[in-house]
Amino acid sequence: MIINLPHLAQLVIPVAHAAEEASSGGVMETLGINWKLFLAQIVNFGIILLVLWKWVFIPVAKKLQERTDKIEKSLNDAERIEKEKKEFEAWKNEQMANARKEAGSIITAAQADAGKAKEQILREAKTEQQKIVDQAKQQIEEEKTHALSQAKTEIANMVTVAAEKILRGKLNEKNDQELIKESLAQTK
Amino acid sequence: MLAVPPLAAEQILHIGPLPVTNSYVNSTIALVGFVVFALFIRAGVKKYGGRAPKGIVNFFESILEFILGYIDNVTHDRKKSLKFLPIVGSLFLFILISNWMGLLPGVGSIGIQKGSEFIPLLRPANTDLNMTLSMAVLAVVASHILGVATIGFFKYANRFIKIGDLYHAFKSLKPVNILTAIIEFFVGLIEIISEIAKMVSLSLRLLGNIFAGEVLMTVLAGLVPYLVPLPFMALELLVGFIQAVVFAMLALVYLSMATVETHGHAEAGKGEAEAEAEENQVPAV
C-alpha cells in the first residue's frame, strides 16, 4: 500500500495544536470539559435513565418476574395435582383390595357358617329321625306286648269258654283226651 | 485534505447560555430515540399484560434476561440485580447505541465549512469527555447513594474515614491492633482518592476508545476511501459493544461493592479483599 506522506504530516498537526492549546488554556480546555455542557449531558443521560427506569426496566422486569412466578406456580400446581392423583390412585387401590379381601373373608365365613348350619341341621334331623324311629319301635314293641297279652287273655278266655262248652256237652274219655291235647297244642 | 477531529467536541451553535456541540446533538438524538423506544415498550407491556408478549416487547425481554443473567453473575442475588438493573442497563444500552450511531454514514462527514475549518454536525456522543464523565459521575454517585441507603451512613462512611475501627483498636489496647488500625486509616484515605480515580478511569477509557475509533475511521477514509475501512468498521462495532459492556460491568461492580454489608473488623477486611479481587478481575476483560 502506498501511504501518502503529506497526509501523515497533516495528522501530526492537530496533535501539536492540541499541545499548544494545553499550555495556554489548561488541561480542562484541551479535553473539552465545559461545565455547562457537562450539566447538559448529565441532564440528557438523566432523562434517558429515568425514562428507561420508569417505563422500560421496572415494568418489563416486573412482568418477567410475574411470568416466572406464574410458571413456577403452574408447575408446582401440576406437580401437586399429579402427586394427589397418585395418592388417590394408591388409596383407591388399597381400598379396593381391602374391600375385596373383606368380601372374600365374608364369603368364606358365610360358607363356613352355612356348612356348620347344614351339619347341625343334618345332625338334628338324624337325631330326630332316630328318636322317631326309636319311639315307633318302642310303640310297636309296646303294642306287640299289649296285643300278645291281650291275645293271651283272650285265648285263655276262649279256652275257658271252650272248656265250659265242652264240659257242658258230652264229656267222654276219648273226647277229653283229645281236647286236652288240642288245648295244649294251641297254648304252646 | 484530512480533517482529524479534535479532542474537544466542536461547537455548532449557542442556545441561550448553552454551547451546543456536535456530540451533544448526537446524545440528544439518542435521547429522543430512547424516549420513543420507552414509549413503545410501555405501550407494549400494557397491551400484553400478563399474556405472552410479541414483537418489540418480546425482543427486549430477551435482551433484559441476558443483561439480568450477567448482573446475577456479579451480585449472586436476584433482588440486588433488579435494583441495579435500571442503572446498569441504561448505561449499557445508551453507550452501545450511541457508539453504533457513530458508525452510521453521515456522522462526522456531513458538516459546515467555517473558513478553513470543517465542523461536522454529528459526532459520536462518547467522543466527548463531558458525556463520558457525566455518566461516570452518575454511576459512582449512584453507587455511594445506594451504599449509604443499604448499609447506613456511618457504616458506609467508616469505609473511607476509619475512625470507628481506630477507636475499637485503641479500646482493645493491643499494639498490633492499633498499628493495623492506623495503617487501615490511611488505606481508607487512599480509598477516597480511588473513588475519584474510578470516575476518571471510567470516563477516559470510554472516551479514548471511541475517539480513537473515530480518528481511525477518519484517517482510513482519508487514505483509502473504499473497502479498506470495512474490516475496521466491523472492529469498531465490536469495540463499541465491548466498551459498553466494560463500562456497564465496572459500574455494576462499583454498585455491588458499595452495597456489600460488612460486619465487624475481621469481616470488613475479608469483604474488602473480595471486592478488590472482583475489581481486579473485571478490568482484565
Side-chain angles (χ1 to χ4, degrees):
Chain A
M1 196 197 291
I2 302 159
I3 293 172
N4 212 342
L5 275 179
H7 281 191
L8 277 186
Q10 276 163 356
L11 276 181
V12 181
I13 291 166
V15 178
H17 184 63
E20 203 175 286
E21 240 177 20
S23 61
S24 63
V27 185
M28 284 305 188
E29 202 173 309
T30 318
L31 292 172
I33 290 286
N34 174 324
W35 67 270
K36 285 180 195 159
L37 263 175
F38 176 70
L39 281 184
Q41 299 282 33
I42 280 197
V43 169
N44 257 9
F45 184 70
I47 293 171
I48 290 174
L49 184 63
L50 221 77
V51 161
L52 289 182
W53 195 316
K54 285 275 169 246
W55 293 349
V56 178
F57 285 114
I58 293 303
V60 173
K62 216 172 102 192
K63 279 273 133 46
L64 278 179
Q65 196 58 43
E66 274 174 20
R67 206 167 317 133
T68 310
D69 291 348
K70 206 170 163 187
I71 291 169
E72 191 78 12
K73 194 176 155 279
S74 312
L75 284 177
N76 282 345
D77 279 358
E79 217 164 89
R80 191 169 49 80
I81 288 167
E82 189 69 22
K83 211 176 123 198
E84 272 174 13
K85 201 181 129 196
K86 259 187 200 156
E87 270 170 17
F88 174 74
E89 201 80 17
W91 178 81
K92 197 181 86 182
N93 285 344
E94 194 194 307
Q95 223 52 15
M96 290 224 326
N98 271 356
R100 226 171 268 149
K101 221 163 80 183
E102 226 163 281
S105 68
I106 286 170
I107 287 170
T108 35
Q111 271 172 348
D113 276 357
K116 253 186 238 165
K118 189 176 146 198
E119 238 166 70
Q120 198 180 351
I121 287 165
L122 279 176
R123 219 181 312 127
E124 268 171 24
K126 246 179 209 166
T127 48
E128 193 79 6
Q129 191 190 8
Q130 197 63 41
K131 228 160 88 185
I132 290 168
V133 168
D134 287 353
Q135 245 172 7
K137 269 185 186 164
Q138 208 181 340
Q139 221 169 337
I140 288 165
E141 201 70 31
E142 268 169 25
E143 234 139 87
K144 191 176 146 193
T145 44
H146 184 69
L148 270 177
S149 64
Q150 225 171 4
K152 261 183 193 162
T153 43
E154 239 164 80
I155 288 166
N157 285 346
M158 272 166 63
V159 168
T160 330
V161 172
E164 266 176 16
K165 267 179 188 173
I166 293 160
L167 283 174
R168 258 174 228 163
K170 280 192 263 172
L171 200 62
N172 51 29
E173 200 86 359
K174 194 188 147 197
N175 273 2
D176 190 40
Q177 216 61 26
E178 266 177 23
L179 192 70
I180 291 169
K181 269 184 193 165
E182 199 179 336
S183 290
L184 278 174
Q186 247 173 12
T187 50
K188 248 182 208 171
Chain B
M1 122 133 227
L2 267 176
V4 173
L7 194 49
E10 299 100 319
Q11 189 178 324
I12 301 171
L13 65 151
H14 261 284
I15 299 176
L18 179 71
V20 176
T21 58
N22 40 18
S23 68
Y24 183 71
V25 171
N26 247 36
S27 87
T28 309
I29 292 171
L31 163 69
V32 173
F34 272 110
V35 170
V36 171
F37 168 75
L39 283 172
F40 266 115
I41 292 285
R42 190 172 76 133
V45 168
K46 271 194 185 151
K47 188 173 156 199
Y48 297 119
R51 325 227 96 242
K54 276 181 198 145
I56 185 172
V57 182
N58 200 7
F59 175 64
F60 184 70
E61 275 187 7
S62 64
I63 294 175
L64 199 90
E65 282 270 30
F66 175 76
I67 297 174
L68 258 181
Y70 266 92
I71 298 178
D72 277 345
N73 277 344
V74 175
T75 60
H76 304 293
D77 178 8
R78 195 22 94 85
K79 251 188 174 168
K80 240 182 188 179
S81 302
L82 285 174
K83 207 158 76 184
F84 298 156
L85 173 71
I87 298 169
V88 176
S90 298
L91 283 171
F92 172 70
L93 287 182
F94 176 71
I95 295 169
L96 181 71
I97 295 302
S98 39
N99 284 353
W100 283 355
M101 267 171 68
L103 295 173
L104 293 175
V107 179
S109 52
I110 299 173
I112 22 174
Q113 195 78 37
K114 251 189 200 170
S116 64
E117 249 186 307
F118 171 76
I119 300 176
L121 281 174
L122 299 167
R123 171 179 158 137
N126 291 327
T127 59
D128 181 2
L129 192 59
N130 288 311
M131 182 77 246
T132 57
L133 190 63
S134 70
M135 282 189 295
V137 168
L138 254 170
V140 173
V141 167
S143 78
H144 289 306
I145 291 172
L146 275 175
V148 169
T150 327
I151 66 175
F153 178 77
F154 288 105
K155 261 193 192 169
Y156 192 72
N158 193 43
R159 285 186 181 184
F160 302 108
I161 302 164
K162 303 188 179 224
I163 291 175
D165 289 352
L166 210 59
Y167 171 70
H168 285 299
F170 273 113
K171 225 171 76 175
S172 75
L173 285 174
K174 283 181 193 155
V176 180
N177 279 8
I178 294 168
L179 191 68
T180 328
I182 290 170
I183 294 168
E184 289 266 326
F185 183 79
F186 287 107
V187 170
L189 292 182
I190 292 168
E191 287 278 319
I192 297 174
I193 297 168
S194 90
E195 290 304 307
I196 298 163
K198 273 179 189 175
M199 297 184 210
V200 173
S201 75
L202 266 183
S203 56
L204 282 180
R205 178 185 302 113
L206 184 57
L207 169 83
N209 277 287
I210 305 308
F211 182 69
E214 188 64 13
V215 171
L216 176 70
M217 294 324 300
T218 316
V219 170
L220 273 176
L223 291 175
V224 194
Y226 302 106
L227 289 175
V228 177
L230 261 181
F232 291 93
M233 278 276 208
L235 220 60
E236 277 310 299
L237 275 177
L238 203 65
V239 169
F241 177 74
I242 290 169
Q243 287 309 315
V245 170
V246 167
F247 197 108
M249 268 294 188
L250 282 173
L252 170 62
V253 170
Y254 297 156
L255 283 168
S256 57
M257 264 167 59
T259 51
V260 168
E261 184 110 26
T262 49
H263 298 285
H265 186 74
E267 273 186 46
K270 191 182 142 213
E272 256 162 42
E274 269 174 12
E276 257 170 31
E278 228 167 357
E279 194 183 13
N280 290 340
Q281 224 171 26
V282 175
V285 177

